[in-house]
Amino acid sequence: MKKLHIFLVLFLTAPILFVTAQDTVYFKNGLMANGLHRYGREALYTDLLAYQLYNNTLQQPRENSIAGVNDEQQEIKWVAVNADSLNSFRMPRQNDVRRQGFFNSGYLYVTYTADKERTALLNTKGGSSVYVNREPHTGDPYASGWLYIPVKLKKGLNEFYIRSGFRTTASLIFPVKPVSLNTEDPTLPVIALQNNNASLQGAVVVINTSSKPLQHVKITSNVAGNEMVSDLPLIPAMSTRKVPFSFNAGSIAQKGMHEMKLLLTDGNKTLDEQHISIEAVEQGESYSNTFVSAIDGSLQYYALTPQSGSGTANAALFLSVHGAGVEAIGQARAYKPKDWGTLVAATNRRPRGFNWEDWGRLDAMEVLNIAKKKFNPDPRRIYLTGHSMGGHGTWFLGATYPELWAAIAPCAGYPTLKAYGSHDGKIPDSTNSLTEKILLQAGNQSDVIKLAENYRPLGVYIFHGDSDRVVSVNYARQMKKVLAGFHPDFAYKEYPGGSHWFSNESVDWPPLFNFFTSHTILPDSAVNTIDFKTSSPGISSSYRWAAIQQQILPLQFSRIQLNRNLAAKTITGSTQNVQTLKLAVGQFGKGASITITLDSLAPLRYSTNDAKDSIWLQKQNDQWQIVAATGAEQKGPQRYGTFKEAFSHNMVFVYGTKGNKTENEWAFNKARYDAETWYYRGNGAVDIIADKAYHTDQYAGRNVILYGNASTNAVWQILLNDSPVQVSRNHVSAGANAWSGDDLAVYFTWPIKNSVLNSVGVVAGTGIKGMNAANANQYFAGGSGFPDYMIFRLDMLRDGSKAIELAGFFDNNWKMDVKNQAGSK
């Protein structure tokens, strides 16, 4: 840093002191108010400041002025705060702030007076989001430091409301170049010298602070004289995007750090040049590979510790899932090489990511499938383990996909988010509100204790330090008690005096891997008894030769308990909350006449066709019937809802341009805000396009997230004209229900016609008040539950669930279902 210049700027509000270093301005003084909001892992949220902001009743804060009134009818006041020598605003100890919980319910208000209109990069650390002159942008709640948000400053007073954490830093950087590369958050492989490294991929962030989108730009990489040129996707104006590029590291022959030059160009014009380091390791050491994710088309990575020795035939595969704040490469390096298998570590999309739920779950499955294809392990010897948050991930993935694992080993883990405290104020299970029960129902997949029967066919090794102060050993003891009630094959070990992390043996514990050696996955032909539960066939539908295709009550727990007798040619058993069931019957042999008796109802008879034969059964009028396979137009494992499901299959964000200036600005700003959040939370990248640029042929096979309504977004008529939920200016209809006003917000999902897999996710409002009410993107919080549709008023930000007009699930034919919805009416 160059010489510092300190100066005082006076405002009508609290004085703001800035420290400048070159083109950087650090906020030093501000105002803080506590107890203004509650955001958690759920669709429901309240925010008194945002409510006032969207209603145009928010008064410019002054010291000791009233920011709002809390649930106890106590006044919430703005309090002056000062940054410390590290430019951090810390939670003060006076005024009972600690009790009010500044770290998760407060706002920090700072201002900047500009002498002219200009652009800047906003860097906040510790805040989860920020309003910049009323525009929403994502924050950096984990204080990673690499998030830079392009913002437009107006001449005069500029206001920043930061939804703050325990410790918050904020600064403005005035860039010298309108377009630049940010290499602080790269996605790069750690290259193994024994591999062919001539064609690899990495990713870095392009920052576009110009007023025009970047098109036709390229990155040229140079490693030891080897150049490769990569075309980049479009980067919208005043935005950032993480972009993939190719590079040739084939000339690297020594272990260590090596330099790569990156050149960003537009035609013959050089926009920026940066240098970045890549690491090379020797044979036998842990390394990492990158891959293009099917979730969003972005570049991700996984790490691995290769098998030692040369005997790779019938080798095992270990999937290890890391704890909060841990990189996958660090996770892999905690394990010594095993002579009987390869260990792979997925990323959860970020070191904190999604708690191994939602897109963290999908990332783990992508990496598992890649590893199976790459290393061709013995299919009977697949194992799952993880530590801390990854211990939760082990419990969760083990219960969700029991047929994938021979054994699992959660280390220092907790079973559920809500029990551990990561639920961030989730609706209590004891709620009497039918609407809140619908919202809770949408998150049932997180409750692994209610899925505990799925652990029965797995070996389970529970490992925990008995002096762990981060994740209490009581969680391990809780799960030991749960398993003791039914499980025939689990082991339990408390490490005496063990803290949360006492050494690499916190994960690389020899008795744990010895336990794995004695467990294998049986072939389907040897499994004649099934006891399987799921809360959603869209997440987990099958175990072995049986699959729950559809439920009677969506996202309630479903269970099948089945017995197959190959000699007697029978399948018998019971079902709970199952509408449609698929059974693979090829094991009986071609031409076998089998009898199926479920729930003590009338038996069904069927003659098998071949070794791959399957039948579909459906419960109709309290009787089971053999039916045709469920069609793609119906709900099924391939596409089941909920709203969050639409954020997959390489989704594209489509903002409306048919509205008025305010509506169009909201649509673009909201799409950009979601893209910022997706990048931060999920290391993701997404195409943002205008409605007039969308064509079904060009974007075939991709999900769509639509921002706007039928009056403001031209794509509505293309994809949503047959939807039972319709939103236009000042009006919403859902089946037989209708509401009026400009303050209605709507989230819902809908299948794309003539597509087996793809869906539209809709973020809509009936006017600018309703659109703003839809700004909060809690759907990116891991483990948060959203139903198929949710219609609410802006008043929800103040009154909670009372202002939800309707929330619920479509039936199995994607029709409105009055039995599975609730609301204010």
Side-chain angles (χ1 to χ4, degrees):
M1 293 174 64
K2 297 289 184 68
K3 182 179 178 181
L4 297 180
H5 301 279
I6 303 176
F7 57 96
L8 183 67
V9 182
L10 295 176
F11 297 108
L12 294 175
T13 59
I16 310 294
L17 182 65
F18 298 106
V19 177
T20 66
Q22 295 182 332
D23 294 306
T24 301
V25 173
Y26 298 92
F27 293 97
K28 296 297 289 184
N29 289 0
L31 298 170
M32 177 198 71
N34 310 289
L36 287 173
H37 61 78
R38 192 198 76 173
Y39 291 81
R41 300 182 188 278
E42 58 187 348
L44 181 65
Y45 76 99
T46 56
D47 191 327
L48 296 178
L49 186 139
Y51 178 77
Q52 296 173 68
L53 184 70
Y54 299 154
N55 270 311
N56 296 313
T57 59
L58 181 63
Q59 300 296 313
Q60 186 177 2
R62 302 171 184 269
E63 187 174 0
N64 293 321
S65 63
I66 297 173
V69 178
N70 64 21
D71 292 341
E72 288 76 35
Q73 300 304 305
Q74 297 172 331
E75 291 181 345
I76 302 169
K77 293 186 177 182
W78 291 103
V79 179
V81 289
N82 302 314
D84 61 18
S85 60
L86 298 176
N87 302 311
S88 295
F89 294 92
R90 294 173 180 254
M91 180 175 65
R93 298 181 182 275
Q94 68 272 18
N95 299 323
D96 205 19
V97 169
R98 186 175 295 277
R99 184 185 67 82
Q100 294 182 47
F102 173 48
F103 65 95
N104 62 9
S105 66
Y107 272 96
L108 173 67
Y109 173 73
V110 293
T111 64
Y112 175 76
T113 296
D115 58 0
K116 61 181 179 180
E117 183 178 296
R118 62 191 305 191
T119 58
L121 295 174
L122 176 65
N123 178 255
T124 63
K125 294 190 282 281
S128 56
S129 67
V130 56
Y131 292 103
V132 181
N133 296 328
R134 295 177 173 262
E135 284 185 6
H137 290 280
T138 201
D140 178 8
Y142 304 123
S144 302
W146 39 253
L147 183 70
Y148 299 92
I149 301 295
V151 295
K152 184 173 290 186
L153 303 178
K154 60 187 179 181
K155 182 179 180 179
L157 183 68
N158 293 270
E159 298 180 286
F160 303 80
Y161 292 93
I162 304 171
R163 211 167 83 208
S164 286
F166 177 81
R167 177 176 175 178
T168 304
T169 303
S171 62
L172 290 172
I173 301 166
F174 296 98
V176 177
K177 302 175 182 178
V179 178
S180 60
L181 291 170
N182 175 16
T183 59
E184 296 177 33
D185 176 41
T187 300
L188 292 169
V190 174
I191 64 174
L193 293 176
Q194 72 271 18
N195 293 342
N196 181 353
N197 296 313
S199 181
L200 303 176
Q201 281 191 297
V204 293
V205 173
V206 174
I207 300 176
N208 181 14
T209 62
S210 73
S211 59
K212 296 181 179 180
L214 286 179
Q215 303 183 70
H216 313 303
V217 294
K218 302 176 186 293
I219 283 182
T220 301
S221 63
N222 187 313
V223 182
N226 295 317
E227 286 192 350
M228 295 189 78
V229 180
S230 304
D231 295 322
L232 302 187
L234 183 143
I235 297 106
M238 295 296 293
S239 68
T240 68
R241 178 168 180 166
K242 199 166 196 179
V243 297
F245 63 90
S246 299
F247 67 97
N248 180 352
S251 296
I252 294 178
Q254 291 184 337
K255 176 181 178 178
M257 305 304 295
H258 300 265
E259 185 178 271
M260 173 164 55
K261 183 173 76 172
L262 299 177
L263 203 65
L264 181 66
T265 58
D266 184 356
N268 295 322
K269 182 180 179 181
T270 297
L271 302 176
D272 196 19
E273 178 182 325
Q274 295 291 335
H275 294 254
I276 193 169
S277 295
I278 51 176
E279 183 180 4
V281 298
E282 294 177 342
Q283 184 172 357
E285 295 185 87
S286 299
Y287 64 97
S288 63
N289 292 326
T290 58
F291 67 97
V292 176
S293 171
I295 298 172
D296 61 347
S298 66
L299 193 76
Q300 304 297 322
Y301 87 92
Y302 67 93
L304 62 103
T305 298
Q307 180 180 353
S308 61
S310 57
T312 59
N314 298 319
L317 181 66
F318 315 104
L319 177 65
S320 179
V321 290
H322 62 72
V326 177
E327 285 283 359
I329 185 63
Q331 183 78 359
R333 285 171 170 164
Y335 295 88
K336 295 177 181 178
K338 305 290 182 285
D339 62 4
W340 61 290
T342 298
L343 182 136
V344 295
T347 66
N348 189 33
R349 301 282 293 210
R350 282 287 189 194
R352 294 185 184 271
F354 304 103
N355 306 89
W356 298 106
E357 302 194 24
D358 301 315
W359 303 280
R361 167 181 60 85
L362 295 177
D363 176 72
M365 293 301 100
E366 279 194 307
V367 169
L368 179 66
N369 290 331
I370 290 170
K372 284 181 176 180
K373 292 177 182 178
K374 183 176 180 64
F375 300 108
N376 193 29
D378 183 342
R380 302 171 303 160
R381 304 171 81 191
I382 311 294
Y383 306 92
L384 171 67
T385 186
H387 179 266
S388 191
M389 180 183 73
H392 162 68
T394 302
W395 285 120
F396 176 74
L397 296 170
T400 304
Y401 303 113
E403 69 179 357
L404 295 181
W405 325 106
I408 66 172
C411 305
Y414 49 90
T416 65
L417 292 173
K418 65 180 180 180
Y420 179 58
S422 297
H423 58 302
D424 299 331
K426 205 172 181 73
I427 299 167
D429 290 337
S430 58
T431 180
N432 292 319
S433 165
L434 294 179
T435 303
E436 292 182 357
K437 287 181 183 293
I438 287 285
L439 301 184
L440 281 175
Q441 186 175 327
N444 272 341
Q445 80 281 349
S446 295
D447 197 344
V448 299
I449 294 177
K450 292 182 180 176
L451 298 172
E453 288 84 359
N454 288 357
Y455 300 126
R456 188 189 302 271
L458 312 177
V460 179
Y461 191 103
I462 305 172
F463 186 47
H464 214 117
D466 67 4
S467 297
D468 190 338
R469 295 186 178 182
V470 177
V471 178
S472 171
V473 69
N474 287 329
Y475 292 111
R477 294 169 182 170
Q478 174 193 18
M479 292 307 293
K480 176 185 178 183
K481 184 177 180 180
V482 169
L483 295 183
F486 67 90
H487 201 289
D489 182 21
F490 76 94
Y492 181 86
K493 173 64 177 179
E494 289 185 18
Y495 189 88
S499 60
H500 191 58
W501 183 270
F502 47 87
S503 71
N504 283 352
E505 284 195 338
S506 299
V507 292
D508 196 13
W509 178 239
L512 181 158
F513 283 90
N514 289 338
F515 181 84
F516 281 173
T517 61
S518 62
H519 291 82
T520 57
I521 301 173
L522 295 174
D524 281 359
S525 59
V527 178
N528 293 311
T529 300
I530 288 178
D531 186 355
F532 173 71
K533 292 179 74 174
T534 185
S535 69
S536 170
I539 294 174
S540 172
S541 64
S542 64
Y543 182 75
R544 302 294 189 155
W545 41 269
I548 300 170
Q549 300 290 103
Q550 296 174 332
Q551 299 170 299
I552 298 170
L553 300 174
L555 274 72
Q556 299 276 25
F557 290 99
S558 299
R559 186 176 188 179
I560 51 175
Q561 295 173 282
L562 305 175
N563 291 287
R564 180 179 67 179
N565 189 318
L566 294 175
K569 296 181 173 52
T570 62
I571 296 176
T572 59
S574 63
T575 70
Q576 297 173 25
N577 191 34
V578 178
Q579 181 75 59
T580 306
L581 181 66
K582 177 184 176 182
L583 298 175
V585 294
Q587 288 287 341
F588 288 99
K590 182 179 180 180
S593 179
I594 63 174
T595 302
I596 303 168
T597 307
L598 299 177
D599 302 325
S600 301
L601 298 176
L604 303 173
R605 291 176 174 80
Y606 178 79
S607 295
T608 59
N609 294 312
D610 53 45
K612 296 183 179 180
D613 198 9
S614 293
I615 60 171
W616 281 257
L617 310 178
Q618 193 168 86
K619 207 168 192 179
Q620 301 173 355
N621 300 317
D622 291 327
Q623 293 292 328
W624 285 100
Q625 305 287 337
I626 298 176
V627 296
T630 52
E633 73 281 359
Q634 295 180 305
K635 280 190 173 182
Q638 80 288 350
R639 182 175 53 194
Y640 205 74
T642 59
F643 170 69
K644 292 174 67 169
E645 186 184 62
F647 291 86
S648 61
H649 296 300
N650 201 10
M651 70 278 191
V652 55
F653 290 179
V654 182
Y655 61 90
T657 63
K658 285 179 56 185
N660 58 40
K661 183 175 183 293
T662 303
E663 292 168 331
N664 292 345
E665 286 179 348
W666 170 84
F668 175 77
N669 290 340
K670 170 59 174 164
R672 180 180 59 184
Y673 173 41
D674 278 5
E676 291 170 355
T677 307
W678 178 246
Y679 159 63
Y680 180 82
R681 289 190 174 272
N683 193 33
V686 64
D687 291 328
I688 303 175
I689 65 170
D691 51 2
K692 55 192 175 186
Y694 178 83
H695 302 283
T696 53
D697 292 342
Q698 183 178 353
Y699 292 95
R702 299 178 65 177
N703 284 3
V704 173
I705 308 300
L706 184 149
Y707 298 91
N709 60 44
S711 305
T712 67
N713 193 308
V715 175
W716 192 287
Q717 294 306 317
I718 299 173
L719 300 179
L720 295 165
N721 61 350
D722 60 341
S723 167
V725 178
Q726 291 293 318
V727 187
S728 57
R729 284 198 190 98
N730 300 311
H731 186 78
V732 176
S733 62
N737 300 298
W739 303 267
S740 297
D742 66 351
D743 62 336
L744 288 152
V746 184
Y747 301 134
F748 73 95
T749 186
W750 188 247
I752 293 178
K753 286 180 292 187
N754 302 318
S755 171
V756 175
L757 295 174
N758 298 120
S759 301
V760 190
V762 180
V763 181
T766 55
I768 196 60
K769 287 185 178 180
M771 291 172 173
N772 281 330
N775 274 339
N777 48 25
Q778 295 308 103
Y779 34 83
F780 292 136
S784 60
F786 279 69
D788 288 346
Y789 55 87
M790 178 176 169
I791 302 165
F792 57 99
R793 301 269 182 185
L794 174 59
D795 286 351
M796 188 186 79
L797 280 66
R798 180 192 61 191
D799 301 331
S801 62
K802 297 176 184 176
I804 298 177
E805 297 288 6
L806 193 67
F809 304 91
F810 298 115
D811 70 12
N812 290 324
N813 293 305
W814 293 98
K815 298 184 182 299
M816 299 298 293
D817 185 358
V818 295
K819 301 186 300 299
N820 290 294
Q821 62 182 213
S824 60
K825 287 191 175 183

